[in-house]
Amino acid sequence: MKEIAMTRFLDAADVAALVRATGVANTIAQMAHHIRQDFVRWEAFDKSARLATHSVDGVIELMPVSDAVQYAFKYVNGHPRNAQNAMPTVMAFGVLAEVASGFPLLLCDLTLATALRTAATSALAAQVMARPGAATLALIGNGAQAEFQALAFHAMVGIREIRAYDIDPAATARLARNLQGVPGLKVAAVDSVRTAVQGADIISTITADKTRATILTPDLVAPGVHINAVGGDCPGKTELHPQILRQARIVVEYAPQTRIEGEIQQLPADTPVTELWEILSGRVAGRTETGQVTVFDSVGFALEDYSALRWLHAAAHAQHRGSHVELVATPPDPRNLYGWMMDAGAPQPVREPLAALA
């Protein structure tokens, strides 16, 4: 009897279980390792800016990328008003498929993985861009991303103090409560952006409003600071005063996409920028002088999701997590799709238990 081709399926609870079993900091570090591996292979990938559908309420995007072996895409939204209705502002799912046959190997929730891979990429960039010995992080915007950013910078960069600010004090209180007890990490709630950035080695901006905001002005940025600009991630949504960008060294993920969506949408289209893969591969330096202000203009790129999906697929296989589903029709005679559909009463091939298929 023919064996049915099966797709591994991870729902949100499966992904959460994988992360808990691995440990959040370890998961972030492992994802960062996958991201570095894939960015170093930058030229092997077929890349494009994501396809975005905008509305007054938010944005829905498709993010594809592939090499000669595997293809991946992510569906993701960004709806800031969702928080008012107790819904996540970002929700995502994705697929990893084999290029040779087109068969989907993995279908899974990517809402949690998006937060993890964003934090991993942020810390990976800071490792090569921030001044050595960075110990204090100003975290502006304490929404769903905040804990992941804090843990990534603590584990990968050596940050020991978080100076946290949000217009909603309850968000900062939640952040401090969730991170209470993390060895070697102090979270201090502050009452303004200005207080948060005083003495900070790194500033991370991760606000959610879909608007041209000015979270940081030039007078708040000291020489030598590294800025991790995450919140400005679609047309018409920014966080930094353009003068900061004009005076800084700017690094992006994929320039054609960032020029549309990132902080640099405020600058002329020919403004020179460096792509992160160039630094990770050793082609250029991340920082050229101690007093230089550096900006990682991060909007999120499909290759990071490809890396996250690779990690999820391998981790689920190792831990026997998830289930196997017949996601796509695979009739015994591929030319007889109609007959397969109509023969619903015929005996079905026996599916192997999940552990045997892992």
Side-chain angles (χ1 to χ4, degrees), residues 55-134:
S55 70
V56 295
D57 297 310
V59 61
I60 296 174
E61 301 166 330
L62 285 176
M63 302 172 63
V65 70
S66 68
D67 62 6
V69 179
Q70 293 179 318
Y71 171 94
F73 79 82
K74 181 172 78 172
Y75 166 101
V76 63
N77 77 305
H79 285 69
R81 297 179 190 174
N82 278 2
Q84 300 171 13
N85 299 312
M87 291 181 64
T89 59
V90 176
M91 296 174 282
F93 68 88
V95 167
L96 183 69
E98 60 181 21
V99 169
S101 67
F103 186 79
L105 302 170
L106 175 68
L107 168 66
C108 69
D109 170 74
L110 283 180
T111 307
L112 177 56
T114 293
L116 290 160
R117 67 81 156 144
T118 300
T121 306
S122 293
L124 190 60
Q127 283 182 332
V128 294
M129 296 177 66
R131 289 176 300 191

Side-chain angles (χ1 to χ4, degrees), residues 338-348:
Y338 179 85
W340 171 86
M341 175 186 70
M342 299 302 293
D343 200 18
Q348 296 297 306

